[in-house]
Amino acid sequence: MPRRIVTLTTDFGTSDHFVGAMKGVILSICPAAEIVDITHEIAPFEVTEAAFLISEAYPTFPKKAIHVVVVDPGVGTSRRPILVEAAGQFFIAPDNGVLAMVYGRTPHKARVITSERYFRKPVSRTFHGRDIFAAAAAHLAKGVPPARFGKLIDDHLKLAFDKPARTGKRIWTGTILKADRFGNLITNFHVADHPEIQTRPFEMQAGVQRITRLALTYADAHAGELFLIVGSTGYYEVAANQASAAHLLGCGVGAPVELTIY
Amino acid sequence: MPRRIVTLTTDFGTSDHFVGAMKGVILSICPAAEIVDITHEIAPFEVTEAAFLISEAYPTFPKKAIHVVVVDPGVGTSRRPILVEAAGQFFIAPDNGVLAMVYGRTPHKARVITSERYFRKPVSRTFHGRDIFAAAAAHLAKGVPPARFGKLIDDHLKLAFDKPARTGKRIWTGTILKADRFGNLITNFHVADHPEIQTRPFEMQAGVQRITRLALTYADAHAGELFLIVGSTGYYEVAANQASAAHLLGCGVGAPVELTIY
Amino acid sequence: MPRRIVTLTTDFGTSDHFVGAMKGVILSICPAAEIVDITHEIAPFEVTEAAFLISEAYPTFPKKAIHVVVVDPGVGTSRRPILVEAAGQFFIAPDNGVLAMVYGRTPHKARVITSERYFRKPVSRTFHGRDIFAAAAAHLAKGVPPARFGKLIDDHLKLAFDKPARTGKRIWTGTILKADRFGNLITNFHVADHPEIQTRPFEMQAGVQRITRLALTYADAHAGELFLIVGSTGYYEVAANQASAAHLLGCGVGAPVELTIY
């Protein structure tokens, strides 16, 4: 049996048995699965951050990769598990918006997962990551056709995390999608939607600071200086050379930013 | 050669070369090993936490999986390395109680590992994870029969971490096995041993709080409210909806809890 | 196609999409790659720590293993990507000294990576871990001969992180290479270069403390006592039994230590 990639993106952290249990379930059902940790360090319950993260990671993966995304504040309630096909790959997640930025990038089909035969029994009330999401992913990896999991739906949750709102003639209000390990603050302003930042004077307000400089590389700026940069994601990031912009500004995921173009 | 699962559970963290060195040793001896990280974030020297964690993770793994568990405050002293067979799976660990909750779940056989031919030489005084435990696991993965590692023993350390003591007519004193990533406090009261919590008025004292409510899902409670819940492990957990019970109570692994049934 | 080991050592942390994106790129180019995380927790921009860490991990790996080491404060500037062959293994990294302790252990050959056909296009300015280092490693894993990546060079950066300076007749000044998870401070004094510590009275100054005792195992010392020990790496470590020497001394990576032999 050929290897089949199953990636994991969760807010479970790596200090509990949760991730190990998901891996065990997957390997018990599909011994040929190739499990790839993307991250387990999504901030607890931060659906936006997970939505951003999987949307950045999946395009690097090959066709047929299966991505399990479990950030699930509503576990145990009626929110649905879904199976999404997009870009020749598969996504298994709760229907809470965590895949919304994938939908924004590429056409997709969504199914509600209803076939309990692909669950691990008994299904616990609090650990669907193991009992539903990991188990369904492993059956998919083993060759169960997507249509067996449940019907196509179109009422799944679509959210536009990555579109700043125009709040004035030359003003847009956006947000921080992610504070990365280096303290760079990834905004939801994308270079494709806001090319004018490259050519015209601008001001980006973040925390109590106003940033007016766009740099090409981190090394272009003085140590500690705040600037905008087009990150590897295509989103503008608030950064500081060899320092943490998040720390300097006291900002994190979900903080508002405001762009003015002059 | 078919893939053979070797899982790792340690208190080594992921910021040092320790885990990488264990993986290198395993893959050098057994190139077909499929290494699976369970966790490396056991609190340093916390044998109880590791015992709980591996006992929750192994049941999800397939037959023949090999689990390496290295939480080893006595490294360099005379504590013995052991090889345990249980539930069709294998466990390699120091004989310090770290496998005790596995023994509590299923019949098992234990051997002391004495065959130095399966060690990496020279054996350092401080890094048996690499030189003894990883090396022995890799030889086992490669097909060396368990009996070759050493003799069966029956005097290995058995401890009952998971049994609260009855300290009064209607009173039991237990402990916290684990504070999970979300701050849920997993007690050593198991639903199978204490079903009365489900049907009768009770009080669970943890820190300075008395908890009297049992919830079915996290979402059943108000944000920040403390309650008991049957976790995915079958143990009662002290939890708070979208908040950290560990933080609210100032409690962690090893803290006492007291149950009174009315 | 046989499995080919590709290890990852970075300062990217595990909370971002960076590591997942590198893994996706590798598996897209070389589906048979066996990706092994060594660590992603190098302190940001700490080339010395990464140099130490990979030099400790690689010797446990089998021939033909490919090690990707990305700690790259100069990303986007003119520092070169290099491919190094040493000990029958391969190393792909920026030419900033991060492989210097590998060079110190074994003969090696270095090439500058110039063949852009092995990069992921377009090459971003800020994420060469994905676009250059991961992509080149995957092509190497897939069977591209090393000579295809670029010419042999001899002017790559060689640094002697692991040699204390003699600063007096009986005095050497060294540094801390790494504070490990347990707070042990790994110095750059190696037992092979400084055997006299084993046989003569000595004093090691670290922070405001003078350490005069060499212990054979952690358990030999009283709880909390500071002592020297020969670590599993062969370097002397400042340690404390069941306590963090780093915390007791307020010292970390890069802190100076001074050895006097009497």
Side-chain angles (χ1 to χ4, degrees):
Chain A
M1 185 180 255
R3 302 205 309 182
R4 186 80 183 270
I5 294 168
V6 179
T7 81
L8 303 179
T9 301
T10 77
D11 64 352
F12 291 158
T14 50
S15 65
D16 295 315
H17 68 281
F18 304 137
V19 171
M22 288 179 72
K23 292 176 177 177
V25 165
I26 291 168
L27 290 167
S28 289
I29 294 168
C30 179
E34 182 67 18
I35 299 171
V36 177
D37 294 306
I38 290 186
T39 185
H40 301 289
E41 306 297 336
I42 301 292
F45 315 123
E46 280 290 349
V47 169
T48 309
E49 184 181 349
F52 167 72
L53 207 126
I54 190 63
S55 77
E56 289 300 323
Y58 89 83
T60 65
F61 279 85
K63 302 281 181 214
K64 301 186 76 171
I66 298 166
H67 304 284
V68 182
V69 185
V70 188
V71 174
D72 194 12
V75 64
T77 67
S78 60
R79 66 90 193 92
R80 305 173 295 182
I82 56 173
L83 165 55
V84 170
E85 298 173 63
Q89 301 181 42
F90 300 89
F91 302 80
I92 289 181
D95 180 26
N96 61 10
V98 82
L99 299 179
M101 288 181 67
V102 176
Y103 311 151
R105 282 174 170 258
T106 179
H108 72 282
K109 290 196 294 191
R111 295 172 185 281
V112 61
I113 300 176
T114 50
S115 291
E116 294 183 11
R117 60 185 297 194
Y118 303 121
F119 297 168
R120 179 177 189 266
K121 312 289 184 346
V123 173
S124 67
R125 286 197 193 89
T126 55
F127 193 7
H128 290 186
R130 177 189 62 192
D131 300 333
I132 295 180
F133 300 109
H139 284 287
L140 183 64
K142 206 179 167 183
V144 173
R148 290 271 191 84
F149 289 85
K151 288 186 199 161
L152 287 171
I153 55 174
D154 192 46
D155 63 345
H156 50 299
L157 204 57
K158 299 165 201 92
L159 298 165
F161 295 127
D162 53 344
K163 299 292 172 204
R166 188 161 194 167
T167 49
K169 191 173 174 197
R170 299 172 313 185
I171 302 176
W172 289 261
T173 300
T175 191
I176 301 299
L177 292 172
K178 170 87 182 160
D180 78 15
R181 147 99 156 164
F182 302 100
N184 301 318
L185 296 167
I186 303 173
T187 74
N188 65 346
F189 287 87
H190 197 279
V191 68
D193 299 328
H194 295 275
E196 65 276 17
I197 294 176
Q198 312 247 344
T199 54
R200 296 178 55 183
F202 71 89
E203 192 178 271
M204 173 80 79
Q205 175 142 13
V208 297
Q209 300 280 328
R210 293 168 190 276
I211 295 144
T212 57
R213 180 169 174 202
L214 182 71
L216 291 180
T217 74
Y218 295 108
D220 281 352
H222 305 301
E225 186 191 358
L226 285 162
F227 54 91
L228 276 198
I229 190 166
V230 178
S232 58
T233 60
Y235 291 99
Y236 292 96
E237 302 179 7
V238 180
N241 185 23
Q242 302 202 23
S244 162
H247 196 78
L248 292 172
L249 290 169
C251 283
V253 189
V257 290
E258 189 177 84
L259 172 72
T260 307
I261 297 288
Y262 292 104
Chain B
M1 185 183 254
R3 300 207 310 181
R4 186 79 184 271
I5 294 167
V6 179
T7 82
L8 304 179
T9 301
T10 77
D11 63 353
F12 290 158
T14 50
S15 63
D16 296 315
H17 68 281
F18 304 137
V19 171
M22 289 179 72
K23 291 176 177 177
V25 165
I26 291 167
L27 290 167
S28 290
I29 295 168
C30 179
E34 183 67 18
I35 298 172
V36 177
D37 293 306
I38 291 186
T39 184
H40 301 288
E41 306 297 336
I42 301 291
F45 315 124
E46 279 290 350
V47 169
T48 309
E49 184 180 349
F52 167 72
L53 207 127
I54 190 64
S55 77
E56 288 302 323
Y58 90 83
T60 65
F61 278 84
K63 301 281 182 214
K64 301 186 75 172
I66 298 166
H67 304 285
V68 181
V69 185
V70 188
V71 174
D72 194 11
V75 63
T77 67
S78 60
R79 66 90 194 90
R80 304 173 295 183
I82 56 174
L83 165 55
V84 169
E85 297 174 65
Q89 301 182 42
F90 300 89
F91 301 80
I92 289 181
D95 180 26
N96 61 10
V98 81
L99 299 179
M101 288 181 66
V102 175
Y103 311 152
R105 280 173 171 259
T106 178
H108 72 283
K109 290 195 294 191
R111 295 173 187 280
V112 60
I113 300 177
T114 50
S115 290
E116 294 183 10
R117 60 185 297 194
Y118 303 121
F119 297 168
R120 179 178 190 265
K121 312 289 184 348
V123 174
S124 67
R125 286 197 191 89
T126 55
F127 194 6
H128 290 185
R130 175 188 63 190
D131 300 333
I132 295 181
F133 299 110
H139 283 287
L140 183 64
K142 206 179 167 184
V144 174
R148 290 272 189 86
F149 289 86
K151 289 187 196 159
L152 288 170
I153 54 173
D154 193 44
D155 63 343
H156 50 297
L157 203 57
K158 301 165 200 90
L159 298 163
F161 295 125
D162 53 343
K163 298 290 172 205
R166 188 162 194 164
T167 48
K169 192 174 175 194
R170 300 171 313 185
I171 302 177
W172 289 261
T173 299
T175 190
I176 301 300
L177 292 172
K178 171 88 182 157
D180 77 14
R181 148 100 156 163
F182 302 100
N184 300 317
L185 296 167
I186 302 173
T187 75
N188 65 345
F189 288 86
H190 196 280
V191 68
D193 299 327
H194 295 275
E196 66 276 18
I197 294 176
Q198 313 246 344
T199 54
R200 297 179 53 184
F202 72 90
E203 191 178 273
M204 173 80 78
Q205 174 141 15
V208 298
Q209 300 281 327
R210 293 167 190 278
I211 295 143
T212 56
R213 178 167 176 206
L214 181 72
L216 289 181
T217 74
Y218 296 107
D220 281 353
H222 305 301
E225 186 191 358
L226 285 162
F227 55 91
L228 275 197
I229 190 167
V230 179
S232 58
T233 61
Y235 292 98
Y236 292 97
E237 301 178 9
V238 181
N241 186 23
Q242 302 202 23
S244 162
H247 195 79
L248 291 173
L249 290 169
C251 283
V253 188
V257 291
E258 189 177 84
L259 172 71
T260 307
I261 297 289
Y262 292 102
Chain C
M1 186 181 253
R3 303 206 308 182
R4 186 79 183 269
I5 295 167
V6 179
T7 81
L8 303 180
T9 301
T10 77
D11 62 354
F12 291 157
T14 51
S15 65
D16 296 315
H17 67 282
F18 304 137
V19 171
M22 288 179 72
K23 292 176 176 176
V25 166
I26 292 168
L27 290 167
S28 290
I29 295 169
C30 179
E34 182 67 19
I35 298 172
V36 177
D37 293 307
I38 290 186
T39 185
H40 301 288
E41 306 297 336
I42 300 292
F45 315 123
E46 280 290 349
V47 170
T48 310
E49 184 180 349
F52 167 71
L53 207 127
I54 190 62
S55 77
E56 289 302 322
Y58 90 83
T60 65
F61 278 84
K63 301 284 181 214
K64 300 187 77 173
I66 297 165
H67 304 285
V68 182
V69 185
V70 189
V71 174
D72 194 12
V75 64
T77 67
S78 61
R79 66 89 193 92
R80 304 172 295 183
I82 55 174
L83 164 56
V84 170
E85 297 174 63
Q89 301 181 42
F90 299 90
F91 301 80
I92 288 179
D95 180 25
N96 61 10
V98 80
L99 298 179
M101 289 181 67
V102 175
Y103 311 152
R105 281 173 170 257
T106 178
H108 72 282
K109 289 195 295 190
R111 295 174 187 280
V112 59
I113 300 177
T114 50
S115 291
E116 294 182 10
R117 60 186 297 193
Y118 303 122
F119 298 169
R120 179 178 190 266
K121 312 290 184 343
V123 174
S124 67
R125 287 197 192 90
T126 55
F127 193 6
H128 290 184
R130 177 189 63 191
D131 300 332
I132 296 180
F133 299 110
H139 283 287
L140 182 64
K142 207 179 167 183
V144 174
R148 290 271 190 86
F149 289 86
K151 288 187 197 160
L152 288 172
I153 54 173
D154 193 46
D155 62 343
H156 50 297
L157 204 57
K158 299 164 200 95
L159 299 164
F161 295 127
D162 53 343
K163 298 291 171 203
R166 189 161 192 167
T167 49
K169 191 173 174 196
R170 299 171 313 187
I171 301 177
W172 288 260
T173 299
T175 191
I176 301 300
L177 292 172
K178 170 88 183 158
D180 77 15
R181 149 99 155 163
F182 302 101
N184 300 318
L185 296 167
I186 303 174
T187 74
N188 65 345
F189 288 86
H190 196 280
V191 67
D193 298 327
H194 295 274
E196 66 276 17
I197 294 175
Q198 313 248 341
T199 54
R200 296 178 55 184
F202 71 88
E203 192 178 272
M204 174 79 80
Q205 174 142 14
V208 298
Q209 299 280 328
R210 294 167 190 277
I211 294 143
T212 56
R213 179 169 174 203
L214 181 71
L216 290 181
T217 73
Y218 296 107
D220 281 352
H222 306 300
E225 186 191 358
L226 285 163
F227 54 91
L228 276 197
I229 190 166
V230 178
S232 59
T233 60
Y235 292 98
Y236 292 96
E237 301 178 8
V238 180
N241 186 23
Q242 302 201 21
S244 163
H247 195 78
L248 292 173
L249 290 169
C251 284
V253 189
V257 291
E258 187 177 84
L259 172 70
T260 307
I261 297 288
Y262 293 102

